Amino acid sequence: MPRVLVAGWVGSTNLGDELVFAALHAKLAGRGAAVAVVSVDPAATSAAHGVAALDHRDLPGLIAAAGQADGVVFGGGGLLQDETSPLNLPYHLSRVAVARGRRTPFAAVGVGAGRLDTRLGRLLVRRGLRGAVAVSARDGDSARLLEAVGVHDVGVAADLVLGLPTPAAAPADQLVVCLRPWSAGRKRLPAGLRGDATPDAVVAAVAHALDQAAHATGLAVRFVALQRDRDDALHRRVAERMDATVTTAAPDLDGVLGEIAAARAVVAMRYHAGIGAVLAARPCVLIGYAPKVDALAGELGAGGALLAWDQRDLGGLARAVDAVSGHDAAVATARDRLRARDRVNDAALDRLLDR
């Protein structure tokens, strides 16, 4: 039984990141691996995923675990960017440095890259992934960026969550909406550690746009929080300004994909809400706050639309929902194509474990 240490962003309150690890864990368990993971909340991670979890601050424990492992998986998810904080890359890539120091083979699997705005950031990524057994990126833009900064032989894969089973929930007469707090500029703290800085004017604009979409479609609005401690408060701020019928939900890991699937269409600012819509073959309007959201929108054909996180662009939300509605088949086609690309992630894991 190979022993694998996973180094990603695990144990936070962000269900998107937890879904990424759940999908990766399933792939590794299916290959007979014993999995341990670095976590920001080891007790919660062990309870949710049934794995051994190591505290992310435990450097001696990390060094020991990397030395005992047969392989280290770096990923998945958007670990390779310096846009949100200058601390992001040193924090994540330090685990790869430990693996290299212990001469433990490692692979970067299902990783997202971008943006890399600084020369130091590009240097850290190039040197950090040097010597990887395999590198698979979750989208073409990430792969091209990694190649541009000097990482070689990057496979174009898909987000790991697309390897999870299709949710069984049937569509209901509702528009599922998944927002995230607004933030702008580069900060010292990672995004997950900041409060909600969404301006009241933006909240009002979103509420008005959703009211228009609800009126045009005849659908109720259901807000679904992917990060309970950040998104739910924003959803309630928006709901208070709306006239349409509104409900809110803050599901757990087991329920979140079913909540997203129970929609006629999805409005997603959260990237993994968009991925959840793809899994369920639900038309989706994506609100582009980051390159990964733009990249996903480009995969969906008639079943997807992209709006900017901008008050003027949000005014077109009702038209965008109308444009994608009924194009479930286009989303299902995109899902099948992306799931075929997910095999590149499988190949990266096989290359690591077959050494």
Side-chain angles (χ1 to χ4, degrees):
M1 179 180 289
R3 295 164 298 181
V4 176
L5 177 66
V6 173
W9 180 248
V10 181
S12 77
T13 57
N14 188 327
L15 294 180
D17 296 319
E18 295 303 290
L19 287 168
V20 169
F21 177 65
L24 178 57
H25 180 215
K27 288 180 181 293
L28 290 167
R31 288 164 170 76
V35 177
V37 60
V38 180
S39 171
V40 298
D41 188 341
T45 295
S46 294
H49 299 281
V51 296
L54 172 71
D55 193 290
H56 69 128
R57 298 163 297 187
D58 183 3
L59 181 57
L62 173 63
I63 292 171
Q68 294 163 4
D70 298 299
V72 171
V73 174
F74 178 74
L79 307 180
L80 299 175
Q81 53 84 16
D82 60 7
E83 178 184 12
T84 58
S85 170
L87 303 178
N88 190 67
L89 287 171
Y91 173 81
H92 288 300
L93 289 170
S94 64
R95 286 81 179 272
V96 176
V98 169
R100 188 183 293 109
R102 297 306 305 263
R103 298 187 178 181
T104 302
F106 71 94
V109 181
V111 293
R115 292 164 41 188
L116 292 171
D117 290 333
T118 66
R119 176 181 291 183
L120 175 60
R122 295 187 287 272
L123 176 65
L124 286 172
V125 170
R126 180 170 66 251
R127 291 187 175 178
L129 297 187
R130 183 175 57 201
V133 170
V135 178
S136 65
R138 69 182 174 194
D139 55 63
D141 288 348
S142 292
R144 286 185 285 273
L145 180 55
L146 290 175
E147 294 273 7
V149 303
V151 180
H152 302 299
D153 300 321
V154 181
V156 179
D159 190 89
L160 285 160
V161 176
L162 289 160
L164 291 174
T166 301
D173 289 332
Q174 58 186 8
L175 183 66
V176 165
V177 179
C178 306
L179 305 176
R180 71 188 297 276
W182 182 88
S183 60
R186 199 159 170 263
K187 308 290 184 182
R188 183 167 297 277
L189 285 176
L193 300 180
R194 302 178 209 150
D196 180 11
T198 308
D200 285 340
V202 174
V203 171
V206 173
H208 180 65
L210 288 173
D211 268 336
Q212 288 183 313
H215 177 74
T217 61
L219 299 175
V221 173
R222 184 163 178 81
F223 289 102
V224 176
L226 266 71
Q227 190 165 356
R228 179 193 301 262
D229 56 341
R230 301 190 74 218
D231 301 351
D232 193 51
L234 174 60
H235 288 165
R236 293 177 186 279
R237 286 178 65 195
V238 175
E240 287 172 357
R241 294 176 179 247
M242 292 179 60
D243 296 321
T245 300
V246 174
T247 57
T248 63
D252 60 12
L253 180 61
D254 292 332
V256 64
L257 291 178
E259 283 279 1
I260 294 169
R264 295 293 175 190
V266 177
V267 175
M269 189 180 182
R270 284 284 183 191
Y271 173 75
H272 279 103
I275 293 291
V278 174
L279 265 181
R282 303 291 184 259
C284 187
V285 177
L286 290 147
I287 300 174
Y289 74 96
K292 61 186 178 182
V293 179
D294 298 8
L296 179 60
E299 301 277 4
L300 303 186
L306 179 68
L307 300 177
W309 185 231
D310 175 276
Q311 288 176 244
R312 292 168 297 179
D313 218 28
L314 289 172
L317 180 60
R319 292 190 299 274
V321 171
D322 180 65
V324 302
S325 292
H327 290 289
D328 305 57
V331 185
T333 298
R335 178 186 62 198
D336 294 344
R337 183 177 63 252
L338 290 167
R339 278 180 162 169
R341 280 188 3 211
D342 181 51
R343 295 171 192 155
V344 176
N345 291 323
D346 293 325
L349 292 174
D350 290 339
R351 189 170 176 182
L352 177 67
L353 297 179
D354 290 345
R355 290 177 63 83

